[in-house]
Amino acid sequence: MSKLKNLINRITEFGINPNVESENKTDEIQKLLVGIYSEYLNLSAEFDDSDFDEEPNFDYESIKKNVEANFPEFGWYHSVWESHKIISDADLVTEDSIDDLTDIIKDLLEVKWRFDNTNEKNAKWHFCDLMRIHSEQHLVNFLKYIKDLKG
């Protein structure tokens, strides 16, 4: 579990600190997100029905400002809606890499809070749930964006 916590701690730095030091932030965030995705795909989690306090509200706008400061070169990109269907007039949608990364970090801050303030079972379940219902799509889209950005 310490690997997951370490990945979360480093990724969330990009959303809480506007001046993260890194030799290559793009390569680092790509590797960190691949690590998070691997942890998610290999993790099984059970619901914890214990009563805990609700996590605080992590401010999207302040996280986004820090992400923008750390990755000023990131921007908009296109993707295809329902890419698994072969349609001659497929719907092209515009996506935002800054929003992708901000949403991922916001979700991971919630998980980090749960690790620190509830228990491991609860944190793991929330991590898996947030990935399944929200962050996974952002993560996959973002990784594709980075791959295309690098050529």
Side-chain angles (χ1 to χ4, degrees):
M1 196 48 42
S2 64
K3 181 176 181 184
L4 177 60
K5 284 183 187 179
N6 288 339
L7 288 165
I8 290 171
N9 287 338
R10 183 59 179 166
I11 292 169
T12 56
E13 274 297 308
F14 291 97
I16 59 177
N17 178 352
N19 299 307
V20 173
E21 296 209 14
S22 175
E23 287 185 31
N24 185 321
K25 290 179 186 179
T26 301
D27 285 349
E28 183 178 2
I29 199 69
Q30 181 183 30
K31 290 174 186 174
L32 290 165
L33 291 174
V34 167
I36 281 287
Y37 200 31
S38 177
E39 289 292 308
Y40 166 65
L41 294 173
N42 291 298
L43 187 66
S44 63
E46 293 179 32
F47 181 70
D48 184 348
D49 61 358
S50 303
D51 287 329
F52 299 106
D53 291 337
E54 221 25 62
E55 73 270 354
N57 183 24
F58 296 98
D59 183 56
Y60 176 90
E61 290 303 322
S62 63
I63 296 167
K64 182 179 178 184
K65 283 182 184 178
N66 292 328
V67 170
E68 289 173 326
N70 282 303
F71 300 100
E73 71 280 10
F74 289 176
W76 298 91
Y77 63 96
H78 290 118
S79 65
V80 178
W81 182 256
E82 297 184 317
S83 66
H84 64 288
K85 296 179 181 177
I86 303 301
I87 304 170
S88 59
D89 59 344
D91 290 328
L92 188 65
V93 293
T94 302
E95 309 264 5
D96 179 2
S97 63
I98 296 292
D99 175 71
D100 288 336
L101 195 49
T102 300
D103 279 348
I104 293 164
I105 290 170
K106 186 175 183 299
D107 285 353
L108 292 178
L109 282 167
E110 291 178 20
V111 174
K112 178 181 167 79
W113 184 90
R114 289 187 178 276
F115 270 118
D116 294 342
N117 296 282
T118 67
N119 62 37
E120 186 174 299
K121 182 178 179 182
N122 183 266
K124 285 170 39 178
W125 186 85
H126 276 276
F127 170 68
C128 289
D129 190 51
L130 286 169
M131 284 292 288
R132 182 181 52 81
I133 66 171
H134 186 240
S135 291
E136 182 179 22
Q137 189 63 58
H138 285 292
L139 190 146
V140 170
N141 290 352
F142 184 81
L143 289 175
K144 171 74 165 89
Y145 168 77
I146 293 298
K147 183 251 181 249
D148 290 346
L149 198 62
K150 290 181 173 185

